[in-house]
DNA sequence: TTTAACTGACTGACAGTCAGTCATTATAGT
DNA sequence: ACTATAATGACTGACTGTCAGTCAGTTAAA
């Protein structure tokens, strides 16, 4: 075969892209390394020159997904607006078809559940500081009163990322809108948002 | 080989038990069907006489785990005590070493993440009615005031089962006690528990 | 000339198959 | 009641196809 040498970074990216596309179609388990290299027109050894195992390619994909999602949380926390607005945006943008670059089909394939879970746990844990920042801002603005800052942030993130992820809980499409607004209200009360809820004492 | 015929229910149970024990040691992926039948001293065909695929044995295991956990929620909901007490018991009993029969080692093996997830989702969804019942009781007792009954139950269950499951989030042992009590307080406020929290208005 | 990227045939392990075996149980003939 | 015979269904184990991972050797580029 006509042999082409490329810089490792370039080849790695090619391999990752091809893998991602196949994982989206067939799922991780159902995609053979031989499928990936066939799609690229390289030998199987090439794959193993750049990646130690088939699983290692997942680590690479997971990392890039996590970074992307956590970045959004950071930007939101550091951007402008009231805490309440930021939180609403955060909720609105979760569990939707958009937001994902092209990984959507890949992550939500039933066979990739465990990768999905890894991503979510990482995203939740790494986003905690940014949500805490938003909550602190809300406290300063007088909108929120919070006792357990970190745990509250963790719990909100868990709700957003696990409950509203279409790959975990598969809520019917029409129930989602209602669920999301209910969730927003529940969280507002959790945050002691005095403008959102007056207890009936 | 000396051939022994047994009733399918008996054989199935034998196979499930052997599989469970091996999954605990080595994980699901790392256990070959040939390992399972070797342990039992039967032929490989016997396995495939009783189960269509290797994966099917998981469905059987998952089902029995789910039933067991959901049963506990139902008993709690139908038993005696105030709603607040019941909720406390529910929180206390989650994410601990005990409570599990022998599946512990099996579910928390890193290689079984996806089975674990299936169990959790099923448990959450099937427990919702029982937690709702507890919340309704709390409303009647005047302890709780709740707007979105179902969503609140879903969110509480998600918190309990995902956040506090040692196989998903791996919190350090000493942080757990504090986290659990913080979680209880967050939930009490979420439920508008007027005896637990007075907003600083 | 050296080195780093690449090759592709090969290996071992595994999930799943299948044609056939044997123990058990039901039925019929005496 | 007491066998012979048939039918059933649990069980066998050698076999197949597929796949992750290996490695000794090849070639393009620096």
């Amino acid at each position: 075969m006509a042999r082409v040498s490329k810089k490792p970074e370039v080849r790695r990216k090619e391999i990752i892209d091809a893998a991602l596309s196949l994982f989206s179609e067939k799922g991780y388990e159902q995609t053979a390394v031989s499928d990936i290299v066939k799609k690229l027109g390289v030998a199987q050894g090439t794959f193993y020159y750049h990646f130690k195992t088939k699983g290692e390619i997942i680590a690479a994909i997971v990392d890039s997904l996590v970074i992307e999602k956590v970045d959004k949380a950071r930007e939101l926390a550091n951007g402008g607006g009231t805490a309440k607005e930021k939180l609403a945006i955060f909720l609105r943008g979760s569990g939707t078809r958009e937001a994902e670059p092209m990984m959507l089909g890949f992550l939500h394939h039933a066979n990739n559940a465990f990768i999905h879970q890894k991503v979510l746990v990482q995203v939740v844990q790494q986003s905690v500081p940014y949500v805490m920042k938003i909550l602190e801002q809300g406290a300063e603005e007088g909108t929120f009163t919070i006792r357990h800052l970190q745990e509250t942030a963790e719990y909100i993130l868990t709700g957003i990322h696990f409950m509203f992820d279409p790959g975990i809980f598969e809520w019917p499409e029409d129930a989602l809108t209602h669920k999301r607004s209910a969730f927003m209200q529940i969280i507002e009360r959790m945050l002691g948002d005095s403008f959102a809820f007056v207890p009936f004492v």
Side-chain angles (χ1 to χ4, degrees), chain A:
Chain A
M1 254 283 150
R3 189 184 275 243
V4 189
S5 267
K6 303 193 177 180
K7 285 190 179 172
E9 343 144 25
V10 176
R11 254 293 127 80
R12 275 181 67 96
K13 195 182 180 317
E14 279 182 8
I15 294 172
I16 288 174
D17 287 347
L20 211 44
S21 140
L22 287 167
F23 291 170
S24 305
E25 279 173 42
K26 315 200 288 179
Y28 171 73
E29 300 284 359
Q30 284 58 48
T31 301
V33 171
S34 61
D35 295 333
I36 300 172
V37 298
K38 211 175 291 162
K39 178 157 188 164
L40 275 172
V42 299
Q44 188 144 353
T46 305
F47 180 96
Y48 286 97
Y49 181 78
H50 296 283
F51 298 92
K52 245 174 85 81
T53 66
K54 188 189 175 190
E56 194 172 281
I57 206 172
I58 287 189
I61 292 173
V62 165
D63 284 352
S64 70
L65 285 175
V66 170
I67 288 170
E68 197 168 334
K69 288 208 172 202
V70 174
D71 273 355
K72 282 200 178 147
R74 186 181 38 242
E75 281 166 25
L76 192 62
N78 293 333
T82 68
K84 206 176 167 181
E85 283 162 5
K86 288 180 182 177
L87 217 54
I89 292 170
F90 210 59
L91 288 182
R92 222 54 62 185
S94 67
T96 48
R97 255 53 54 217
E98 51 92 29
E100 325 287 324
M102 66 166 288
M103 330 295 205
L104 209 241
F106 159 63
L107 272 191
H108 296 112
H109 202 290
N111 300 322
N112 298 328
F114 79 106
I115 312 173
H116 196 171
Q117 186 175 307
K118 275 190 184 175
V119 171
L120 293 182
V121 169
Q122 288 294 309
V123 169
V124 167
Q125 290 189 327
Q126 294 184 30
S127 301
V128 165
Y130 306 116
V131 173
M132 281 174 73
K133 196 172 176 183
I134 295 177
L135 297 184
E136 278 171 334
Q137 182 190 337
E140 282 165 20
E141 290 167 357
T143 335
F144 304 152
T145 54
I146 303 150
R147 270 186 172 160
H148 304 280
L149 204 62
Q150 185 180 337
E151 287 78 12
T152 302
E154 282 163 1
Y155 191 35
I156 291 175
L157 279 161
T158 302
I160 289 177
H161 289 292
F162 283 86
M163 274 188 62
F164 287 105
D165 196 297
I168 309 241
F169 290 94
E170 294 170 22
W171 310 114
E173 185 60 41
D174 55 325
L176 253 169
T177 318
H178 175 252
K179 247 182 229 312
R180 227 191 298 274
S181 91
F183 187 63
M184 186 71 203
Q185 288 180 45
I186 291 170
I187 283 183
E188 277 168 354
R189 189 198 248 198
M190 202 173 92
L191 299 177
D193 183 343
S194 42
F195 298 103
F197 183 83
V198 182
F200 324 149
V201 200

